[in-house]
Amino acid sequence: MSYQTIIFEKQGSVAIIKFNRPKALNAINPDVVAEMGDALDEIEKDGSLRVLILTGEGEKAFIAGADIAHMVNLSPLEARRFSVEGHDLGFRLENLPIPVIASVNGFALGGGTEMAMACDFIYASENARFGQPEINLGIIPGFGGTQRLSRLVGKGAAKELCLTGVIISAQEAKSIGLVNKVFPPDKLWEETLKTANLIASKGRVSVRAVKQCIDRGFDTDLRRGCQMEADAFGLCMASPDGKEGMRAFLEKRKPELEGELI
Ligand code: DAK
């Protein structure tokens, strides 16, 4: 399939989606949302892929937000639909059977911070900038920002960012727990790929189980979360990987983790 607003590539078992509207700092419009949906369809059907990386084309931006030129003309019902489609995309990233890393190479504002937060974790370059500046436009975050930000950094920090609209540095984003690691700009891609390949070398059954347990457990109480963990632990042992991983340890060799997703 050919794409206009994103670049979709595969490097071995790593899938890469690059937002590709550099003249508009990769702002998200409905075409981006639709093409990402198509790329996720492709990824879900391709059993050889183990990790997805999201990043931005160009040196300036990951995503500078939803496309303001598009949003300015939306009716309330169209705005609601755009928001719901954005939410669906976030849930699709969360429900993808493989982990998703946001490699943030510049501005990640509004919908950009929201897209990054829907990924499993965020790596950023030193020049990356984060924020929810929608308040300056007379609107509020519409792609899950009020919900995911507070879950990631706590209510106080989330309210401060959404109420002031200030843009923060990558280091500050790291200090509040929004970003996992910060790298010099020329090292970000190498480091992201290194981590993606490390995860890709693990068994897909246990990788998926970790992602599901942490995401689903986060939205429930500890006891139910632990029940989910016990079920997933049992499922890992139902796949050949559980036995193979432990036997390989005991036999002092590298495991061959080839279990299929259930
Ligand atoms: N949308 C459209 N175009 C954008 C854009 C955006 N978000 N951000 C930048 N651009 C365009 C600029 O208009 C400019 O285009 P030309 O004039 O060259 O044609 C080009 O990208 C370069 O931008 P600048 O010239 O402004 O570059 P600077 O380095 O001077 O400034 C900046 C970079 C990122 C600080 C600045 O561009 C900026 O402040 N951009 C807007 C950031 C922003 O406010 N982002 C949040 C957008 S609101 C919802 C759904 C979603 C959302 C909300 C509700 N529902 C439907 C309910 C999410 C909302 C948002 O994300």
Side-chain angles (χ1 to χ4, degrees):
M1 186 172 290
S2 76
Y3 296 95
Q4 310 301 319
T5 62
I6 60 169
I7 298 169
F8 178 44
E9 295 170 353
K10 298 173 193 176
Q11 279 188 26
S13 52
V14 177
I16 299 156
I17 293 178
K18 268 188 197 174
F19 301 104
N20 187 30
R21 302 185 68 222
K23 285 188 185 145
L25 301 187
N26 299 329
I28 310 172
N29 63 16
D31 293 340
V32 177
V33 175
E35 291 195 349
M36 260 200 85
D38 292 341
L40 294 180
D41 287 343
E42 278 195 56
I43 291 167
E44 278 172 356
K45 284 184 204 139
D46 185 340
S48 71
L49 296 171
R50 303 290 188 106
V51 178
L52 167 63
I53 301 173
L54 300 190
T55 192
E57 178 65 5
E59 290 173 1
K60 218 172 151 183
F62 175 71
I63 293 172
D67 190 325
I68 299 169
H70 167 73
M71 282 197 302
V72 69
N73 294 316
L74 294 180
S75 70
L77 279 180
E78 288 167 337
R80 188 177 185 282
R81 180 175 307 161
F82 188 43
S83 177
V84 168
E85 285 170 359
H87 290 151
D88 287 347
L89 196 55
F91 291 129
R92 281 199 71 184
L93 290 171
E94 279 178 2
N95 288 321
L96 210 62
I98 59 175
V100 188
I101 305 173
S103 187
V104 177
N105 53 318
F107 288 110
L109 303 179
T113 287
E114 291 168 304
M115 183 77 80
M117 288 191 295
C119 299
D120 292 292
F121 56 87
I122 304 174
Y123 279 4
S125 68
E126 283 161 354
N127 63 344
R129 296 288 178 270
F130 295 82
Q132 297 286 171
E134 290 88 345
I135 198 120
N136 300 329
L137 303 171
I139 55 174
I140 68 165
F143 283 160
T146 58
Q147 302 307 303
R148 286 202 178 87
L149 192 56
S150 51
R151 283 166 171 76
L152 270 171
V153 305
K155 283 206 294 185
K159 284 180 184 166
E160 191 179 343
L161 280 174
C162 294
L163 290 170
T164 62
V166 295
I167 294 174
I168 60 170
S169 68
Q171 276 306 343
E172 199 175 335
K174 182 170 182 290
S175 76
I176 61 174
L178 177 57
V179 161
N180 276 22
K181 288 184 180 162
V182 179
F183 300 101
D186 62 341
K187 288 273 175 269
L188 172 68
W189 185 246
E190 182 186 322
E191 294 292 338
T192 306
L193 215 48
K194 202 195 287 179
T195 297
N197 281 311
L198 180 62
I199 295 171
S201 73
K202 313 294 178 191
R204 70 177 69 213
V205 175
S206 44
V207 164
R208 183 190 192 174
V210 166
K211 173 168 169 152
Q212 281 187 346
C213 280
I214 293 177
D215 276 341
R216 294 181 185 173
F218 201 79
D219 288 332
T220 188
D221 61 88
L222 181 62
R223 183 163 293 278
R224 276 170 212 267
C226 286
Q227 283 164 353
M228 285 179 207
E229 186 181 81
D231 291 343
F233 189 83
L235 274 178
C236 287
M237 295 301 275
S239 118
D241 284 1
K243 295 279 186 300
E244 164 62 12
M246 285 186 261
R247 276 195 198 115
F249 175 81
L250 296 172
E251 292 164 12
K252 301 191 188 305
R253 60 177 173 82
K254 242 182 123 190
E256 287 173 29
L257 303 173
E258 298 298 336
E260 292 296 319
L261 291 178
I262 302 165

